[in-house]
Amino acid sequence: MACGNATYCRSLHLNEDNGRFVLLAILILVYLLCGAAVFSAIERPSELRAHGRWNGTLLNFSETFNISLQELNSFLREYEAAIAAGIRADALRPRWDFTGAFYFVGTVVSTIGFGMTTPVTIAGKVFLIFYGLLGCAGTILFFNLFLERIITLLAVVMKAVRERRIRNSGLLPPGIRHDFSAYSLPGWKPSVYHVMLILGLSAITISCCASAMYTPVEGWAYLDSLYFCFVTFSTIGFGDFVSSQSAAYEYQSLYRVANFFFMLMGVCCIYSLFNVISIVIKQVLNWMLEKMSCLFCQRCNNANAFLGRRNAIRPGSKSRQRRFGQPPDSDGPCDSDTEGRRLSGEMISMKDLAASSKVSLAIMQKQLSESANGYPRTVCGSSRHNGFSGGVGALGIMNNRLAETSNSR
């Protein structure tokens, strides 16, 4: 059955970024609801049993020592305040000596925030607001620069492996077998999925090595140590497990240096992995939007084709490339997440949106290829003029988007 009118089809036209944003928001909401259901089913019975045991313990203690529950609860509230100040029944390291304070500021700027140490004075809380604002911003920049360098390193390594395999295969053209440096591996680009796999294996290796250290030193089970590593490296930082808190350790200086090293490398590696995974998630969203376009637009193909010619640019269109004097496989004057379409203020049909499903992945692969070959990444002249340039992955996409937005004003 054909569409009743063009208004129905026009309502299916979504801005690409807004469509992806709304779909991601819905999926995150569903993800949160599913997670809440699973954790509630797993943890709620244990919580109820713990409440029952604790109430029984309080009642027995009150009857045994002839103390009213009101007085006992008042004492427990005082003890909770002492815990918040860092006082425990067992001996712990000082919270606010220089080494303790350094550990605290490290959890602040890395956004881990275990919560076992918190400022209690007004001056400390006010200073934390301004200190954390600058420190967190600087640390995020450090993580992005680390991501750029680790991806460059991986791209160079993957290119070297590829060159070695080509040499051993005997498939080189006759004129360059003795001068392989002049061979540029035409058509080859490092795979983003290989980068994701390498970063994932690196994160697992660091977590396993760190857990092997935490298990005997902190007295945790190995699974608890792995859990602590993920919670810490991903900067979730619940605070139920916190390393390096006892008053003394055997080989204490060596352990604290190793603890700092594992945390730094783990956070950087997981942050880089999250950035690469986010690009893959974006590809999944584009695939879902393509399927949605097939579902909602199949009854108004003619109207969509008419509106698509007026309101949208097909990213993969060869005619568009010829119109701008570009060969079909050229990269164009500037690579960005919006390459091949107009800026985000223009409406774009769902069919045209599906045609751009591999843009982000292509950007990342091109950046990897340029890094591996030692070429400077292509940056728009307007990007340099506006100060938005450089970066790979999410940082590069954001910089290009800022450049385009600034240039359009």
Side-chain angles (χ1 to χ4, degrees):
M1 184 177 65
C3 286
N5 50 58
T7 305
Y8 172 75
C9 292
R10 189 178 292 108
S11 66
L12 297 179
H13 285 241
L14 293 175
N15 173 278
E16 178 177 350
D17 295 329
N18 291 340
R20 190 184 296 113
F21 172 78
V22 171
L23 179 58
L24 181 59
I26 294 173
L27 291 178
I28 289 177
L29 179 60
V30 173
Y31 193 75
L32 292 175
L33 293 174
C34 293
V38 170
F39 280 111
S40 179
I42 294 175
E43 298 294 338
R44 181 60 177 169
S46 177
E47 181 188 28
L48 294 176
R49 290 193 297 269
H51 274 291
R53 290 193 301 269
W54 177 246
N55 291 333
T57 300
L58 284 181
L59 184 60
N60 291 335
F61 190 89
S62 175
E63 293 176 351
T64 300
F65 295 97
N66 195 23
I67 301 174
S68 67
L69 289 176
Q70 183 178 3
E71 292 175 336
L72 186 57
N73 285 326
S74 177
F75 173 77
L76 291 175
R77 280 190 288 271
E78 293 292 333
Y79 180 64
E80 289 174 353
I83 290 177
I87 300 173
R88 298 289 192 278
D90 299 325
L92 296 178
R93 62 182 290 182
R95 294 291 179 87
W96 292 109
D97 63 350
F98 182 78
T99 55
F102 184 82
Y103 193 92
F104 167 73
V105 296
T107 63
V108 169
V109 300
S110 64
T111 71
I112 295 175
F114 286 124
M116 80 293 179
T117 303
T118 56
V120 296
T121 63
I122 298 297
K125 293 176 181 178
V126 172
F127 178 71
L128 175 64
I129 294 173
F130 295 98
Y131 183 85
L133 182 65
L134 183 61
C136 292
T139 304
I140 290 174
L141 175 60
F142 173 81
F143 289 157
N144 280 312
L145 296 177
F146 177 88
L147 169 63
E148 182 173 351
R149 279 146 184 81
I150 196 65
I151 285 183
T152 300
L153 174 63
L154 293 178
V156 171
V157 171
M158 286 189 288
K159 181 186 178 184
V161 172
R162 176 72 174 177
E163 290 175 348
R164 183 179 181 85
R165 293 175 65 180
I166 291 178
R167 278 199 189 97
N168 295 336
S169 66
L171 299 177
L172 287 176
I176 61 172
R177 289 177 181 173
H178 302 290
D179 186 17
F180 193 81
S181 60
Y183 191 59
S184 59
L185 299 179
W188 176 81
K189 289 184 179 180
S191 171
V192 175
Y193 301 104
H194 290 166
V195 174
M196 182 175 67
L197 177 63
I198 294 172
L199 288 174
L201 292 176
S202 300
I204 292 173
T205 301
I206 293 173
S207 298
C208 291
C209 293
S211 299
M213 178 185 70
Y214 292 133
T215 297
V217 176
E218 298 289 351
W220 300 336
Y222 189 78
L223 183 59
D224 289 336
S225 298
L226 284 175
Y227 162 80
F228 165 77
C229 288
F230 175 77
V231 169
T232 301
F233 298 165
S234 60
T235 71
I236 296 174
F238 289 127
D240 49 350
F241 289 90
V242 182
S243 62
S244 190
Q245 294 301 297
S246 296
Y249 293 95
E250 188 176 2
Y251 306 110
Q252 179 167 289
S253 298
L254 179 61
Y255 170 64
R256 288 181 174 169
V257 170
N259 180 53
F260 176 80
F261 172 79
F262 277 124
M263 283 191 176
L264 177 63
M265 296 304 300
V267 170
C268 289
C269 193
I270 290 292
Y271 178 85
S272 302
L273 180 62
F274 284 170
N275 273 274
V276 177
I277 290 177
S278 68
I279 296 177
V280 178
I281 292 176
K282 194 173 184 180
Q283 298 311 116
V284 175
L285 294 176
N286 289 333
W287 175 82
M288 295 178 67
L289 288 173
E290 181 181 5
K291 296 301 181 182
M292 290 170 60
S293 71
C294 295
L295 177 65
F296 291 112
C297 296
Q298 59 184 351
R299 294 184 299 173
C300 51
N301 288 334
N302 293 334
N304 270 343
F306 174 73
L307 292 174
R309 286 193 297 270
R310 292 180 56 195
N311 296 333
I313 298 176
R314 288 175 172 79
S317 174
K318 293 184 179 180
S319 62
R320 172 193 168 274
Q321 292 170 339
R322 288 193 295 268
R323 188 185 313 138
F324 287 93
Q326 299 173 13
D329 295 329
S330 68
D331 294 323
C334 178
D335 291 302
S336 71
D337 191 44
T338 56
E339 174 65 25
R341 64 176 175 84
R342 294 184 182 131
L343 291 179
S344 58
E346 184 185 39
M347 301 298 287
I348 184 168
S349 70
M350 294 294 290
K351 286 182 175 255
D352 294 333
L353 171 59
S356 64
S357 60
K358 294 185 178 181
V359 169
S360 296
L361 193 60
I363 294 170
M364 188 71 169
Q365 286 178 328
K366 184 174 185 300
Q367 292 171 340
L368 288 171
S369 179
E370 291 173 343
S371 298
N373 289 285
Y375 302 146
R377 280 186 294 276
T378 305
V379 182
C380 288
S382 59
S383 300
R384 294 190 184 96
H385 176 72
N386 292 318
F388 302 114
S389 63
V392 297
L395 181 63
I397 292 172
M398 180 187 68
N399 282 335
N400 287 329
R401 175 60 54 82
L402 288 172
E404 291 169 344
T405 303
S406 175
N407 189 53
S408 65
R409 288 175 180 161

